[in-house]
Amino acid sequence: MSSLPSKDDLLAWINDNPGKRTKRDIAKAFGIKGAARIDLKRMLKELEAEGHIEKKGRLYRDPGKLPPVGVLIVQAPDSDGDLFARPMNWDGEGPEPRILFTPRQSDPAVGEGDRILAKLFEADGEDHQYTAKLIRKIGTNPRKILGIFRKSDEGGRISPISKGSDKEWIVRSGDTHGAKDGELVEGELAGPKARMGLPRARITDRLGDPGAPRAVSLIAIHENGIPDAFPDAVVAEADAAKPATMKGREDLRDLPLVTIDPADARDHDDACYAHADTDPKNEGGHVIWVAIADVAHYVRPSSALDREARKRGNSTYFPDRVVPMLPDTLSGDLCSLHEGVDRAVIAARIVINAEGQKRGHSFHRALMRSPASLHYEEVQAAQDGSPNDRTAPLLDDVIRPLYAAYDALVTAREKRQPLELDLPERRIELSEDGKVTSVAFKERLDAHRLIEEFMVLANVCAAETLIAKRTPLLFRVHEEPSPEKLDALREVAQASGLTLAKGQVLKTSHLNALLTQASEEHSELISISTLRSMQQAYYNAENYGHFGLALQHYAHFTSPIRRYADLIVHRALIAAHGWGKDGLQPEEIDRLDETAKLISDTERRSMVAERDTNDRYLAAYLSDRVGAEFAGRISGIARFGVFVKLDETGADGLLPMRSLGDEYFHFDAEAQTLMGADSGLVIGIGDRVKVKLAEAVPVTGGLILELLEHDGRARPTTRRSNRRKAPTRRKAGASKGKRTKLRKKAARKAK
């Protein structure tokens, strides 16, 4: 070609030839040689300056279009089951294009969050602009980064909000996602870390003002990857649900089944009723009814609702919000046992004798109508002689019989001897604008214990029924402490002058005896140490028993609105009794192990999120009291310092090693103690301390403390000339016997 092409010709060729976009390819296509290449280069630069094309490396392309090959992030299926994806990088001025992923039969399975390298084709679809074909999978969701964005001319940085993290990430100008300075953002790593300098990140989501009170739980939700928005298909499925009818159900609407919940509860998934047994062979016995919302009627296997509930695993509770397992149409309405309306339930009828021992039970798929939705405090007040207008009509026929049955169950409980570890639980009160107004410890009433005993009994009945009917289910498993943790507990007990016998099969009664022996001075130390020795409960398709409750067979049945495990048990009961086609399906049975692992993980995820949120709220509450003095007890020992639980709020703060004194402290990981190299001071779990609040950081939840007193004595001071140098380790810390003597010495000093 003797003359240069026009700019329009160049743009048309670049768009029509996405696979050949270098300057050499363009020159060859138009026959441009020699000095004319200089003019071609000038034209390409002009097109780039005008925004018509952009240069990526050696390639030229239309900035408003995606390249022919790119990295995509797969999104969740839509209501029709189609998979869509979004580009990993989008620099165009218009909205991010939507990409329909069309897998071939030979392609490996991909799901939400997967990253794929794909070939892209422009499309004329109404709801998508491109289609994509898989080249290969390149991994799943990268590590998420949550922090505060600090803007700069080159882009900016993300400062972390997690406790214990001081690493920052650099964000290039093209990766800011439009974030403003000081905003809370979510990001992800952008490429491998360079050999020198800070790692790079790209911002994927903007979460608003980090200082807003209600951002606290939002931080925990995003930090822990908890799904907090329901897909349209899930909401549509819930909205289409209709109230259950009497078809295939027993009529229990004449039974006065009442719900008893916290005063601010929005959903009521369990109701109960009890009366004296009229069978002369069971004199002094009781009949207990426990009715649980029939969630399985509405959430059918493999439906959009079911997939989302399984993915979430459970509801997550924060002081200012709940992230529910099910949409509010179900959790707050159709599956909630509100007073005065018909509701579908699966009910257990349980017969116990005068000593609280179970004589028999049966399950019923039914319809109920609750006469009252009560809360714990008013039920307890009625039983104690102060009924209100709501409880007075129910006192003789409902409330007193419930307590009579509970008294019998207490007798059986004392004989069974479950672990009696009744540690106080704190409650964070918020104002309407989300600020902490007070922190108090929840009062434990017999009304709370009554409901707990009824629920435990119903859970046992569910497990026993399914075992007897040879129906697969998910058990709630709690294994006994490991030998190593028991040895550590035994040493703490010995140092406090107590004994935990060795060489016998451990029972909860042995631990209860230890807790009872502990004097008031050592009770909290023994309680904390006993709690630390416990294994974490989990779900499993195999039955390994529940050590803490001292039960051989146990499954969660009583909270299907907020736990997926309970929904599985409901479906198993439906299948075992032949109540309908909405029971446990063969494909669910095949993946019970996978489901157990998934929901055990989601439970732990929620626990971490709830704990972190409480820590942030408490840090915000205490931020106005920096410099104030607090009493507390040591709750943990680490190489870098000591954790202290403050008496007033239950908040946990850190005493850095530098705050303990001007000497070197030996850390004994096995014994969980620190020992001063010069003073011989032994610091251990349970020790009383007086501290000063040095720093409170609401955005991370971190509290930094300074030690003032240890066990009533002022912080020791020494004249070491070089703190940094660790002295030769004393033999005192080398042997187990010597460590025990040190603990005993510390216990005597505390007296």
Side-chain angles (χ1 to χ4, degrees):
M1 183 176 287
S2 57
S3 61
L4 286 170
S6 67
K7 288 182 179 180
D8 289 339
D9 291 336
L10 281 176
L11 287 174
W13 190 90
I14 290 171
N15 288 332
D16 292 340
N17 295 272
K20 299 179 178 181
R21 294 173 290 126
T22 67
K23 187 174 71 172
R24 182 178 180 181
D25 292 331
I26 297 169
K28 186 176 180 181
F30 288 98
I32 301 172
K33 299 179 181 178
R37 284 176 175 265
I38 298 174
D39 293 327
L40 174 62
K41 184 178 180 180
R42 174 184 51 77
M43 288 181 66
L44 291 172
K45 281 191 174 183
E46 288 174 358
L47 287 171
E48 188 177 357
E50 293 165 2
H52 297 300
I53 61 173
E54 67 174 354
K55 189 177 183 182
K56 290 281 188 179
R58 297 170 58 200
L59 301 176
Y60 291 94
R61 68 179 180 89
D62 186 339
K65 295 185 178 181
L66 291 173
V69 173
V71 177
L72 309 178
I73 302 172
V74 179
Q75 298 177 301
D78 67 3
S79 57
D80 297 323
D82 291 331
L83 277 178
F84 285 86
R86 64 180 184 84
M88 179 78 173
N89 292 300
W90 171 244
D91 300 322
E93 293 182 1
E96 184 178 271
R98 200 164 187 232
I99 306 164
L100 175 66
F101 175 61
T102 54
R104 295 173 288 254
Q105 194 169 3
S106 58
D107 286 346
V110 299
E112 183 182 6
D114 284 342
R115 293 181 169 220
I116 60 173
L117 184 66
K119 193 167 185 178
L120 296 166
F121 304 90
E122 290 192 57
D124 297 325
E126 293 181 1
D127 62 347
H128 61 280
Q129 292 73 50
Y130 291 85
T131 58
K133 295 288 186 183
L134 180 70
I135 297 176
R136 68 174 184 273
K137 288 178 68 173
I138 57 175
T140 55
N141 272 336
R143 176 191 166 197
K144 293 292 183 183
I145 298 163
L146 200 68
I148 309 298
F149 179 60
R150 301 300 179 193
K151 196 173 181 65
S152 68
D153 293 339
E154 296 78 24
R157 294 189 180 194
I158 299 176
S159 299
I161 60 170
S162 298
K163 278 188 292 188
S165 177
D166 57 1
K167 181 194 293 183
E168 291 189 328
W169 294 270
I170 293 176
V171 181
R172 297 187 303 186
S173 57
D175 293 331
T176 64
H177 199 62
K180 298 178 181 178
D181 186 65
E183 270 192 324
L184 179 66
V185 297
E186 186 178 66
E188 61 188 19
L189 293 179
K193 185 182 182 304
R195 294 178 63 185
M196 300 289 288
L198 297 174
R200 288 192 295 109
R202 66 173 58 86
I203 294 173
T204 57
D205 202 2
R206 297 166 57 190
L207 306 177
D209 179 10
R214 297 194 180 276
V216 174
S217 53
L218 189 64
I219 290 172
I221 289 168
H222 281 263
E223 195 171 32
N224 292 279
I226 296 173
D228 63 333
F230 287 104
D232 292 343
V234 174
V235 174
E237 203 168 272
D239 289 346
K242 303 296 181 185
T245 64
M246 275 297 302
K247 184 178 180 181
R249 298 180 182 276
E250 298 179 40
D251 192 347
L252 299 182
R253 288 177 291 183
D254 289 336
L255 284 184
L257 289 153
V258 296
T259 63
I260 306 176
D261 294 289
D264 57 354
R266 293 183 64 247
D267 56 73
H268 312 275
D269 54 5
D270 58 83
C272 56
Y273 168 62
H275 62 83
D277 192 359
T278 57
D279 186 347
K281 295 180 181 179
N282 190 28
E283 186 177 353
H286 306 267
V287 176
I288 299 172
W289 283 89
V290 176
I292 307 299
D294 188 356
V295 176
H297 172 78
Y298 299 99
V299 183
R300 302 299 176 101
S302 300
S303 64
L305 274 167
D306 180 52
R307 290 195 300 270
E308 184 68 15
R310 184 176 182 269
K311 172 183 171 183
R312 294 180 177 224
N314 51 265
S315 298
T316 307
Y317 294 84
F318 301 104
D320 67 326
R321 73 182 78 200
V322 176
V323 180
M325 186 179 79
L326 299 172
D328 189 64
T329 304
L330 298 182
S331 61
D333 187 12
L334 291 180
C335 294
S336 193
L337 310 181
H338 297 301
E339 64 179 80
V341 293
D342 293 353
R343 286 293 181 257
V345 293
I346 294 179
R349 181 183 185 273
I350 310 164
V351 180
I352 62 173
N353 62 20
E355 288 75 39
Q357 301 294 331
K358 183 165 67 69
R359 299 190 65 195
H361 69 270
S362 57
F363 282 92
H364 309 262
R365 202 171 199 187
L367 209 66
M368 65 161 276
R369 182 186 297 154
S370 175
S373 295
L374 307 176
H375 60 77
Y376 291 113
E377 289 77 13
E378 65 180 339
V379 170
Q380 189 64 54
Q383 176 67 12
D384 293 341
S386 301
N388 59 21
D389 292 342
R390 290 160 44 79
T391 56
L394 302 168
L395 184 58
D396 292 331
D397 295 333
V398 177
I399 295 176
R400 283 178 179 156
L402 284 173
Y403 275 85
Y406 165 65
D407 288 341
L409 291 177
V410 169
T411 302
R413 178 187 175 92
E414 290 173 351
K415 185 176 181 180
R416 190 176 87 243
Q417 283 277 304
L419 186 61
E420 299 288 355
L421 198 59
D422 203 3
L423 292 172
E425 184 181 356
R426 67 191 173 202
R427 179 183 180 88
I428 296 174
E429 300 284 353
L430 303 178
S431 63
E432 290 186 2
D433 60 356
K435 292 184 178 179
V436 181
T437 57
S438 65
V439 179
F441 290 98
K442 294 182 181 178
E443 185 180 7
R444 289 275 292 162
L445 305 171
D446 278 346
H448 293 100
R449 299 182 180 95
L450 181 155
I451 294 300
E452 288 172 5
E453 285 300 314
F454 281 21
M455 297 306 114
V456 167
L457 184 60
N459 288 337
V460 169
C461 293
E464 290 181 351
T465 292
L466 294 173
I467 291 171
K469 291 182 176 290
R470 301 179 182 273
T471 303
L473 72 150
L474 288 180
F475 293 93
R476 182 62 168 178
V477 173
H478 184 222
E479 298 183 83
E480 67 180 47
S482 67
E484 295 77 17
K485 289 189 174 183
L486 273 181
D487 285 341
L489 175 59
R490 202 169 276 117
E491 286 193 27
V492 173
Q494 289 174 356
S496 302
L498 305 174
T499 302
L500 178 62
K502 197 173 183 179
Q504 59 183 337
V505 177
L506 181 71
K507 296 181 180 179
T508 48
S509 57
H510 300 141
L511 297 175
N512 286 337
L514 176 65
L515 292 164
T516 302
Q517 291 172 31
S519 64
E520 184 176 346
E521 184 178 0
H522 294 115
S523 62
E524 193 168 353
L525 166 62
I526 298 301
S527 294
I528 292 173
S529 300
T530 302
L531 180 64
R532 286 176 176 272
S533 72
M534 291 295 107
Q535 304 271 35
Q536 189 163 12
Y538 62 96
Y539 296 102
N540 201 296
E542 298 295 328
N543 183 19
Y544 300 118
H546 198 294
F547 174 79
L549 292 174
L551 293 168
Q552 290 183 332
H553 312 300
Y554 196 67
H556 275 164
F557 155 74
T558 55
S559 293
I561 286 179
R562 62 184 180 90
R563 292 188 305 228
Y564 192 78
D566 303 55
L567 179 57
I568 291 290
V569 170
H570 275 235
R571 288 176 180 163
L573 288 168
I574 292 167
H577 289 89
W579 284 333
K581 297 180 181 180
D582 49 352
L584 199 63
Q585 302 298 304
E587 58 269 23
E588 291 184 281
I589 296 172
D590 291 342
R591 63 176 188 177
L592 274 182
D593 289 333
E594 178 188 329
T595 299
K597 172 68 167 58
L598 172 66
I599 61 179
S600 295
D601 289 343
T602 60
E603 179 185 44
R604 284 188 283 273
R605 177 181 69 183
S606 292
M607 290 170 63
V608 170
E610 291 166 5
R611 182 198 66 208
D612 289 350
T613 298
N614 285 341
D615 286 348
R616 288 186 172 104
Y617 271 121
L618 288 169
Y621 180 63
L622 293 171
S623 61
D624 293 335
R625 299 175 66 184
V626 171
E629 297 178 1
F630 298 89
R633 193 179 287 274
I634 293 175
S635 59
I637 305 284
R639 190 177 299 278
F640 51 83
V642 172
F643 293 98
V644 175
K645 186 175 288 294
L646 303 181
D647 293 343
E648 182 182 329
T649 61
D652 292 296
L654 174 66
L655 278 172
M657 198 67 78
R658 65 178 180 273
S659 173
L660 301 182
D662 301 324
E663 62 178 316
Y664 185 86
F665 278 85
H666 291 292
F667 171 59
D668 190 326
E670 183 181 345
Q672 282 289 283
T673 60
L674 292 171
M675 186 177 69
D678 297 325
S679 65
L681 173 67
V682 177
I683 297 175
I685 292 175
D687 292 354
R688 297 292 307 174
V689 292
K690 184 177 181 182
V691 298
K692 183 171 74 173
L693 180 59
E695 186 179 354
V697 187
V699 76
T700 66
L703 298 177
I704 304 299
L705 309 173
E706 292 180 7
L707 181 64
L708 300 177
E709 294 179 4
H710 173 263
D711 278 342
R713 297 175 178 85
R715 189 187 85 165
T717 57
T718 62
R719 295 184 178 179
R720 288 196 55 83
S721 59
N722 187 0
R723 278 187 79 237
R724 294 173 179 263
K725 184 178 179 181
T728 305
R729 187 174 180 84
R730 292 186 175 194
K731 293 182 180 179
S735 70
K736 182 177 177 181
K738 191 66 175 180
R739 283 197 303 271
T740 302
K741 289 181 180 179
L742 283 169
R743 287 196 194 87
K744 288 182 177 179
K745 180 181 178 183
R748 286 195 299 271
K749 286 166 64 179
K751 295 178 182 178

